[in-house]
Structure formats: C-alpha cells, structure tokens
Amino acid sequence: MADVAAVVEEERLDVLTKTGEVHRDGDYHRAVHVWIFAESTQELLLQRRADCKDSWPGQWDVSSAGHISAGDSSLVSAQRELQEELGISLPKDAFEPIFIFLQECVINDGKFINNEFNDVYLVTTVDPIPLEAFTLQETEVSAVKYISYEEYRSFLAKEDPDYVPYDVNEQYGQLFNVIRQRYKVNTVARSLSLQKQLCRYAPVSLTAELSSLSDADRKALGLLIKAAKLMDEIFFLQVWYSNPALRNWLKEHAGASELDKLKWKYYLINKSPWSCLDENEAFLTTADSAIKLLPQATKAVSGWKGLEYKAAFPMLKPPGANFYPPDMDKMEFELWADSLPENQQNDATSFFTVIKRHSELSLDSSLPNHVVHGKNDLAGTLDLYSVPYSKEYNSYLSKAAELLHEAGDLAGSPSLKRLLHGKADAFLSNDYYESDIAWMELVSTQNTFDIPKNAHSCVFEEAGGIRKGASEALGSLLRSSFSMSTKDSKLDVTIGPYETYEDTIFGYKATFEAFIGVRDDKATAQLKLFGDNLQFLEQNLPMDNTYKSKHVNAAPIRVIQLVYNAGDVKGPQTVAFNLPNDERIVKDRGSSMVMLKNVSEAKFKHILQPIAQACISKEQKGLVDFESFFTHTICHECCHGIGPHTIKLPDGQTSTVRKELQELHSALEEAKADIVGLWALKFLISQDLLPKSLEKSMYVSFLTGCFRSVRFGLEEAHGKGQALQFNWLFEKEAFILHSDETFSVDFAKVEEAVESLSREILTIQAKGDKGAANSLLQKYCKMTHPLKNALERLESVQVPVDITPQFSVVNEIAKQS
C-alpha cells in the first residue's frame, strides 16, 4: 500500500472526516484492495511489504493495495495500483467488486492510526502468473508469492506474525467464503437448482396470422426482425460491460455438459447472470465467465503465452447497470451534474446518454491492445462526462438504421414509412423526439374508428371470442372500419430506447427494445372506449383538483399479435406497454398503448387460471375470466397517461414526477397505473360505459393477478408495485385470507380501499414527494405472511411464474427474406 509517509510528494486523499495526515490523525479515508486468485491452483497472490514501510514492514499482505487519491475513483485506483506495484495492466472487466471492508486499528505505539474503508476486488486468472512476469515497485513491494487460500486463511486465523493481520471471523472472512462457495459447489445440486428455476417458465409457441401481409410487408418484416436482433446486442451491453463476453462464452460451451446447457438456457431467459425472479440474485459467478487472453498485460516471459483472466461481474447486480461507472455513487453524480450549465445537465440526466470517467478513459488508453471508443463530449468540472447513445452504440445503431431505411423503402403505408425512416435517423442523431411523434401518428393513422359511446358496453372480448349482443348496425360499422384500415400497413413496429427499469440509481437511462407484430384491427376497434375517455377520467381522479390536467390527450390504443420481441424483454414478459416515456410528448400529445393479445392469452391460460384454482376461494374462483384480466391490462396502460407527469414544486419550479422520485418512480408509477386502472374500471361501470357484469370479476381477477406479479420479485418494478397494492388492500380488509389458505374479495370494502390508495399515490406524485414515496414503499412493499402463504401454495402445485415465448414464424420469415 502506498502510505502517506512513504511517498516523496504529498498524496491528497478524499478524507471522510477532517483534513490532516490521515494515519497520524486517524482520519477516515478510502482505499482499494486487489486480490489475484489463480483458479487452476486455488491460490492467492501475496506481496511482501517493503522493509521501509511505516506500517507492517516486511510482512505478507494483499496482492495490491493503495489509497484512493482525491478526485480518483475506486476502480481506476485499483487498476493503477496493480500497474504501479506489480506491473500488471488489466482492463476494468478483470476486476470483481466483492465487498467493502472497514479496517480500524492502531499500531506503532499509537503513531499509526488506520481508519480505512477498503473496496475489495477479486481478479481471477486461469493459472498463476509466472513470478518473473512481475515488475515490482521497490519502495512498496519486496517480493511476491502464491499460497493456497485455505493455508493463507489458517495463517491469519493463528495471527502468524509474518502476515498483516485480518480478522477472518469478521468482515474479511468474506474473501474466503466467496472462493470456497464458488469452487466447492456440488455440480448435481447446482444442476437441480437451475432446473427448478427454469421450470418456473412455461415455454409457449406464439403464432400470428401473416396471410394478410403483402409481399412488400413480408420482406419488410424480415428486415425488421434483423434490426430487432441488434437491439438485443445493445441491451446485453447495457446490462453490464462483461455481459456480451459472458453470453458468447456460455453459448460456445453450452454443449459441454448438462450443467453448461442449463446455465445457457437460464441465461437466455434473464439475459444476464442475475435471476429476475429471485430478487436479482446471481445464478452464475465469475468462475462461469469468459476467459480472455492479454499477452502484453505483464512483462514477457519466454514460453508463456500471457495472462488469461476471467471477465468479471459482481455478485450483486449493479444499480446503475452499464450506464454509469460501476464505482460511481449518487452523490458524485449530483455534484457533477450541479456543476454543469443547464443544457449539459439535461444531457447528463437524458434518457439517451451514458456516463463515463476521464480517468478511466485515460487509463484504458494506456492498456495494451485496448481500443477506446468515445470522446469527452460534455466535460464538467469533475471526473464524469456524457456520451450519447448514437456514439456509444454506433456499430450496432448504424447497421440497424440501414435495415430500417431499407424496410421503410418497402413500406406502402406513408405513416409506417415515416416512422421507419425517422427512427433510423434518430439512431444516428440521438434525437428521438420526431420519431416518437411518428410512432404516435402511426397509431393515430391506423385507428380511424368512430364507434358511438353507447355501443362500447356490448363489444368487450371474452376468452373465446366476442361478447354476444352487438347490434347489426355496430357490426356493419366495424366491418366498414376494417375495410378502411386494410389500406394501411398491417405491420406494427416499436423499436428503440424506452424503459428505464435497469437504472435503479436514478431511473434516467433507457434500454433498447423491439416489439414487431401484426395489427389486430378487430380487437382494436373494441377497445377505443378507453382512449376516448382519458380526459373524463382525469377530471374525476381521486385527488385534489389543483393537480389535475385540463389537457389530457386521448391515448390511441391498438392490439397486436406479437411476431418477435428483443432487447429489454428479459424474464417476465410484458402483456402491454404505454409509450413514449418522454414527458414533453406525454404533456403535448399524450401517450399510446400497445396490447399484445397472444401474450395475454398465453398468460391467462398457463398462469392466471392455475393461480385462481390454487389461491381463490371456491365461491369466487369462477369470477376470474380473460375479459376482466385483459380489460384491466388495457386500463392499466391507459392510466399511465393520466395523473401527474409534469408538476409544479412548492418553490414554483416546474419539474417531472420521474425526476423528483428518481429510482422510486418506476415502482410507484406501476402501482399507480394498476390501482387507478381498477378505480377507473369501476368509474366507467358507474357511468354505464362498461357492463356491470365486470364489477365483481374485475376485483377477483385483480386479486389473482397480484399473486402473479409478486412472483416476479420485489426488486422488479411491477412486483414492487403489486406488493404495495396487495398489502394496502389486505390491511383495509378488502382482501380476506380464509382458514383453508384461499383468498376472496370483500366487495363491500374494496371500492373504498382502491380509491384511498389511488388518492395516496396520485398525491405523492403530484407533490413530487420522494420522502412520502419512500415511506409508502418501505411500509407496504414487503413479502408479508399472506403473500408468502400464497406463493408457497403456488410453488407446491408448480404453477409457472411466467412464459418464455417461442416465435415459430421467425424461421419461416427468415427463409423468405
């Protein structure tokens, strides 16, 4: 470790208490520990501290360590210390953060006080590095050696005087626990565990009727699927910077054993090493990851091909994904953002930029055989800077843009042509405003229906077809509407960066995704009621009138049969989405909703019906039907478009709910759309705009849906929001748990309970009150005893948690394109 007294020039540190000489005064400060572990021999590399050191001279210690100098980052410091002390140059994907260790001790008769927060990293190499490959920094390191990790632990446990002391029964024992758990795993037990995780997903073949597509549309569809696959490539990179290497490695080795096959299959569902249904717990480790060779990472040694290391990823899913430096915290970002001019602040918090470090760029440039992409576009006064998506992902976006332009040239529909060319341009310009408007207008152009309000209540869909009783006049109107709509393209395309769930630091950064489908005009005509009544719903929302908007635009709605999806579609599959998320467009133009009919049908059949059989009382389980499930899903998505979005703060400043609630926004917004959607259904029934037959079934179907969504886990926004709703309604006795462990709805109490929670959430959003949002989520977003009971019951009867779609038409399209 580079001690303050051991360097010639003064070393400036970020001190966590007062200023002064940190080890003389006992100031709390930050440092890094880097451990090099050789996988094949199960050995750790130790360095012998130089005899001139003023702390623990001549004793064996961690592979490399050093203070984090003022203004430096943890990861860059770890890379730099390894270079300076041992002559090893490694990129950031070699470093796995495993824990933070607070070391508090006093030595040298009270002259050396160590109060140090150490970020501990693990570098896993395939084999030991030859000792002659090291270049030792003489003022710091006198020798290096490899030692079995178990033997090293025993020396520390015995407090051997040749080794710098660490208490292996306390925090530092985590180092040995990580290695032991990673390499002494039972292969059979691990295979069984992965198989059990896989069984929670029901494979479902999704089909769509393509006979109505023109030859040009079919050719365009093939191009769009190719473009969508590029969204996958970007998303893998957005999740974590080692993720693409991990994916390629797992795919290449999937045939090596049954365990390797299971790893690959479960990875494909999650698109990362973290399991969506297990609170993002890692189901893989760096030991499973890709091997990379760096021939020039160290001094050359005759007969040795060079250093091979494992591309690392942390056990805990990074809250900032790959949008921010992995060692950046909220305070650092906010200090930097506050130092920028307003236009650059907007770029820093934009949906479409990644945040990087100057110091990381400089260090990576010095690494052998390492190509650095991007420049300092928007430098602030601190270490961070912004890079637009168009530059960061250019190699993928430029190819996707070519495919979209080609598909746009084939499109016969002017609105689809405009959308595809506009989105292609946006990929390269990083300005998505016009292309999102084009997406909105595509919806508006396609939905040219004019159905009388008094006809809506008789055309809602049931699981097996259309509800009986629609008038002949209405049937004639629908048929004429369908004939008009066939002039437009039947293809439906949503592609680009939209959702911000992966960014759990702030909820700013958007992930890429794609949904390619074929329009279902018949189902779309039946759903126009909701878009037509958004302003009516806004005016009657259960919140103070001062917070209500007088200009809510009707949300165009369309139903599609999904042909292919890609990008941020990991784990649980969405049945609908409401876009765009850009508050400027929502304020000026509203939002639009897409319903995935074939996905909804699959989920109802394979998941909701079995849940109802297991968890709903005998008297009420018959009330769970597809009509209620699908109708509430529609209303959920519509209700994203009402309620507070752009808000006025107490100081008079204009802001947005997303910006004020930050990482809490997604969970609360999902809860709002759900519970206000339920309130809206009851309101529309009271206005005779929906049939009264929905009144009981919608509540029981909602209760059943709570168990479905909570199974996604309380780290996921929808699961979080659903736990909040269930626990609130259970507390208000609107949901009842019976002695046989089934549930029912108390119809006398549920309406008031739904309205009270709707009011609570809407008011928090309107005020931008992050404190109140946090309190609400902390209190109700819990796995309570009733929820645990239900989930255990579902697990015992092996009800799938979700589906994994198999797109049977893709191969057919690929052969034709």
Side-chain angles (χ1 to χ4, degrees):
M1 177 181 292
D3 298 296
V4 175
V7 294
V8 176
E9 294 183 68
E10 180 184 2
E11 184 178 7
R12 297 185 179 275
L13 308 177
D14 283 325
V15 175
L16 304 182
T17 52
K18 56 187 183 295
T19 59
E21 217 285 14
V22 292
H23 289 302
R24 182 194 65 209
D25 299 335
D27 295 327
Y28 284 82
H29 58 285
R30 296 181 63 214
V32 293
H33 281 196
V34 181
W35 283 102
I36 296 178
F37 175 73
E39 188 176 58
S40 63
T41 61
Q42 303 283 284
E43 293 177 315
L44 289 166
L45 178 76
L46 272 62
Q47 67 160 264
R48 187 176 183 276
R49 296 169 66 82
D51 292 334
C52 61
K53 301 286 287 184
D54 63 353
S55 60
W56 302 287
Q59 291 179 296
W60 292 100
D61 197 6
V62 58
S63 307
S64 174
H67 289 131
I68 299 176
S69 298
D72 276 358
S73 78
S74 171
L75 182 55
V76 168
S77 297
Q79 291 176 280
R80 185 175 291 123
E81 290 298 328
L82 208 54
Q83 277 186 327
E84 292 176 354
E85 293 188 351
L86 303 181
I88 302 175
S89 300
L90 291 175
K92 65 182 181 180
D93 71 347
F95 295 80
E96 177 187 352
I98 51 176
F99 61 92
I100 297 174
F101 165 61
L102 172 58
Q103 187 175 29
E104 296 175 297
C105 62
V106 180
I107 60 173
N108 299 352
D109 298 324
K111 296 176 182 176
F112 190 97
I113 307 170
N114 198 41
N115 291 319
E116 196 166 73
F117 287 93
N118 296 285
D119 294 342
V120 181
Y121 292 92
L122 185 65
V123 172
T124 302
T125 63
V126 176
D127 298 307
I129 302 168
L131 298 185
E132 57 268 36
F134 294 102
T135 303
L136 304 184
Q137 186 179 15
E138 293 182 1
T139 57
E140 300 290 331
V141 185
S142 61
V144 292
K145 71 173 182 179
Y146 277 98
I147 183 173
S148 158
Y149 79 91
E150 293 284 18
E151 185 180 1
Y152 175 54
R153 187 188 187 285
S154 70
F155 282 132
L156 294 180
K158 293 185 297 186
E159 299 183 4
D160 190 300
D162 287 337
Y163 295 85
V164 175
Y166 296 102
D167 190 341
V168 295
N169 296 314
E170 297 294 336
Q171 273 185 303
Y172 224 83
Q174 293 177 74
L175 169 67
F176 306 98
N177 293 339
V178 165
I179 296 173
R180 186 181 299 112
Q181 292 167 9
R182 188 166 292 181
Y183 293 99
K184 293 198 173 180
V185 66
N186 183 305
T187 301
V188 173
R190 191 173 180 202
S191 294
L192 289 173
S193 176
L194 280 170
Q195 187 65 60
K196 186 177 179 181
Q197 289 174 304
L198 276 164
C199 285
R200 294 177 296 180
Y201 291 90
V204 176
S205 179
L206 292 183
T207 58
E209 177 56 56
L210 304 181
S211 60
S212 61
L213 296 183
S214 66
D215 289 342
D217 279 348
R218 283 177 174 270
K219 290 178 183 177
L221 180 58
L223 295 167
L224 292 171
I225 290 171
K226 289 179 182 178
K229 290 180 178 179
L230 290 167
M231 301 303 101
D232 252 348
E233 297 298 321
I234 298 174
F235 179 68
F236 278 113
L237 183 57
Q238 288 183 307
V239 172
W240 183 245
Y241 51 75
S242 295
N243 204 32
L246 173 62
R247 177 200 56 185
N248 296 340
W249 180 266
L250 292 173
K251 182 179 181 181
E252 182 182 341
H253 292 81
S257 69
E258 181 62 22
L259 176 58
D260 289 304
K261 179 182 178 182
L262 293 171
K263 288 179 192 175
W264 172 237
K265 287 178 70 175
Y266 199 53
Y267 176 87
L268 280 179
I269 289 174
N270 294 280
K271 296 191 174 182
S272 82
W274 301 286
S275 175
C276 298
L277 294 180
D278 298 295
E279 313 292 346
N280 288 322
E281 179 183 345
F283 63 93
L284 299 173
T285 73
T286 295
D288 301 306
S289 193
I291 295 174
K292 291 190 173 183
L293 172 65
L294 279 181
Q296 297 176 318
T298 66
K299 192 165 51 180
V301 174
S302 177
W304 182 54
K305 63 181 178 181
L307 188 152
E308 287 184 301
Y309 72 94
K310 291 292 190 78
F313 53 85
M315 293 173 287
L316 298 178
K317 186 177 182 185
N322 196 22
F323 299 119
Y324 308 94
D327 52 357
M328 186 205 81
D329 58 24
K330 294 181 73 167
M331 181 182 295
E332 181 185 7
F333 179 90
E334 287 168 346
L335 285 171
W336 166 65
D338 289 345
S339 75
L340 298 172
E342 184 178 352
N343 66 317
Q344 291 186 12
Q345 284 186 18
N346 293 335
D347 286 311
T349 60
S350 165
F351 287 125
F352 314 125
T353 60
V354 295
I355 308 303
K356 297 196 169 188
R357 292 192 183 281
H358 297 297
S359 54
E360 183 181 308
L361 182 71
S362 174
L363 189 62
D364 283 352
S365 300
S366 69
L367 293 175
N369 301 326
H370 190 80
V371 178
V372 176
H373 299 282
K375 295 180 180 178
N376 171 15
D377 286 44
L378 299 167
T381 59
L382 300 178
D383 193 27
L384 304 175
Y385 68 99
S386 305
V387 179
Y389 281 4
S390 56
K391 183 168 291 185
E392 181 71 4
Y393 310 122
N394 181 263
S395 61
Y396 300 115
L397 291 176
S398 57
K399 292 176 187 175
E402 290 176 11
L403 291 165
L404 292 186
H405 276 310
E406 194 175 343
D409 290 340
L410 290 168
S413 156
S415 61
L416 181 60
K417 186 184 292 287
R418 182 188 170 205
L419 169 64
L420 295 178
H421 288 307
K423 190 64 70 175
D425 292 341
F427 282 166
L428 303 182
S429 69
N430 215 52
D431 183 353
Y432 287 87
Y433 187 89
E434 290 301 325
S435 67
D436 279 344
I437 294 292
W439 184 82
M440 297 277 291
E441 291 180 350
L442 172 73
V443 180
S444 301
T445 303
Q446 291 175 350
N447 296 342
T448 55
F449 310 110
D450 186 18
I451 301 176
K453 283 190 177 182
N454 61 4
H456 283 303
S457 63
C458 61
V459 294
F460 275 87
E461 184 179 26
E462 293 182 321
I466 306 297
R467 171 171 291 195
K468 306 300 181 187
S471 67
E472 286 300 317
L474 178 62
S476 174
L477 173 62
L478 293 179
R479 285 191 293 274
S480 66
S481 295
F482 299 150
S483 64
M484 287 189 294
S485 71
T486 56
K487 297 177 183 178
D488 207 346
S489 172
K490 297 285 286 184
L491 290 179
D492 193 276
V493 183
T494 303
I495 187 168
Y498 290 107
E499 304 294 358
T500 62
Y501 301 128
E502 288 295 304
D503 176 6
T504 58
I505 297 182
F506 294 108
Y508 291 155
K509 306 304 176 183
T511 48
F512 281 82
E513 62 187 358
F515 293 88
I516 313 299
V518 178
R519 280 177 22 227
D520 187 330
D521 292 324
K522 191 174 184 181
T524 298
Q526 297 160 2
L527 308 180
K528 189 170 180 287
L529 162 73
F530 295 96
D532 286 351
N533 283 283
L534 276 189
Q535 185 66 63
F536 188 35
L537 290 170
E538 174 80 17
Q539 290 167 356
N540 289 278
L541 282 173
M543 66 174 178
D544 193 291
N545 288 334
T546 59
Y547 300 134
K548 295 176 184 177
S549 173
K550 295 181 174 58
H551 305 288
V552 173
N553 293 290
I557 309 170
R558 82 263 202 191
V559 181
I560 70 170
Q561 301 289 341
L562 185 65
V563 174
Y564 188 73
N565 66 9
D568 189 0
V569 290
K570 61 184 175 59
Q573 298 292 300
T574 187
V575 295
F577 51 87
N578 188 286
L579 295 173
N581 288 323
D582 188 328
E583 284 91 351
R584 298 172 301 168
I585 299 176
V586 173
K587 181 182 178 182
D588 296 339
R589 306 286 293 268
S591 59
S592 298
M593 179 171 58
V594 178
M595 310 289 301
L596 312 178
K597 178 108 179 284
N598 49 353
V599 178
S600 294
E601 290 169 336
K603 289 203 180 199
F604 183 79
K605 177 182 177 181
H606 292 279
I607 301 166
L608 213 70
Q609 283 184 321
I611 289 176
Q613 289 300 313
C615 293
I616 303 302
S617 69
K618 183 179 179 180
E619 296 76 19
Q620 292 190 2
K621 67 177 60 176
L623 292 169
V624 178
D625 60 19
F626 180 73
E627 178 184 6
S628 300
F629 172 63
F630 194 56
T631 305
H632 179 257
T633 304
I634 300 161
C635 216
H636 168 107
E637 296 302 330
C638 283
C639 287
H640 278 303
I642 61 175
H645 288 91
T646 299
I647 59 175
K648 185 159 285 190
L649 300 177
D651 63 3
Q653 294 292 314
T654 297
S655 185
T656 66
V657 178
R658 183 186 299 274
K659 193 165 283 189
E660 294 307 310
L661 299 190
Q662 297 180 333
E663 76 280 5
L664 305 181
H665 173 264
S666 292
L668 206 66
E669 177 61 23
E670 290 303 328
K672 178 208 84 173
D674 248 356
I675 201 70
V676 173
L678 200 57
W679 167 87
L681 289 180
K682 176 64 173 109
F683 179 78
L684 292 173
I685 291 170
S686 72
Q687 301 297 308
D688 294 326
L689 292 170
L690 285 177
K692 292 191 182 298
S693 60
L694 279 175
E695 190 163 353
K696 289 186 176 180
S697 62
M698 71 182 190
Y699 289 126
V700 183
S701 296
F702 177 81
L703 168 60
T704 310
C706 284
F707 303 131
R708 181 182 74 89
S709 296
V710 168
R711 297 175 86 201
F712 299 157
L714 300 193
E715 290 298 313
E716 195 271 342
H718 298 79
K720 248 182 206 174
Q722 203 75 70
L724 160 62
Q725 294 166 85
F726 175 89
N727 289 326
W728 178 287
L729 295 177
F730 189 84
E731 180 182 88
K732 306 296 183 187
E733 300 180 346
F735 292 161
I736 306 298
L737 175 61
H738 301 287
S739 57
D740 64 353
E741 296 189 336
T742 63
F743 292 81
S744 64
V745 175
D746 185 330
F747 298 115
K749 296 180 179 179
V750 69
E751 183 179 347
E752 183 180 344
V754 166
E755 184 168 322
S756 66
L757 180 55
S758 298
R759 181 178 295 105
E760 182 79 11
I761 293 175
L762 288 166
T763 303
I764 287 172
Q765 290 184 320
K767 294 179 177 180
D769 190 341
K770 189 176 181 182
N774 187 56
S775 296
L776 185 67
L777 289 168
Q778 288 287 331
K779 182 176 180 181
Y780 291 100
C781 184
K782 294 178 180 177
M783 190 58 69
T784 54
H785 180 68
L787 282 176
K788 285 180 183 175
N789 270 6
L791 299 196
E792 287 169 4
R793 191 179 181 94
L794 295 176
E795 187 173 350
S796 68
V797 295
Q798 296 186 324
V799 176
V801 177
D802 211 76
I803 65 169
T804 50
Q806 315 292 314
F807 299 109
S808 56
V809 298
V810 170
N811 291 335
E812 175 191 339
I813 294 295
K815 290 176 185 176
Q816 298 172 3
S817 60

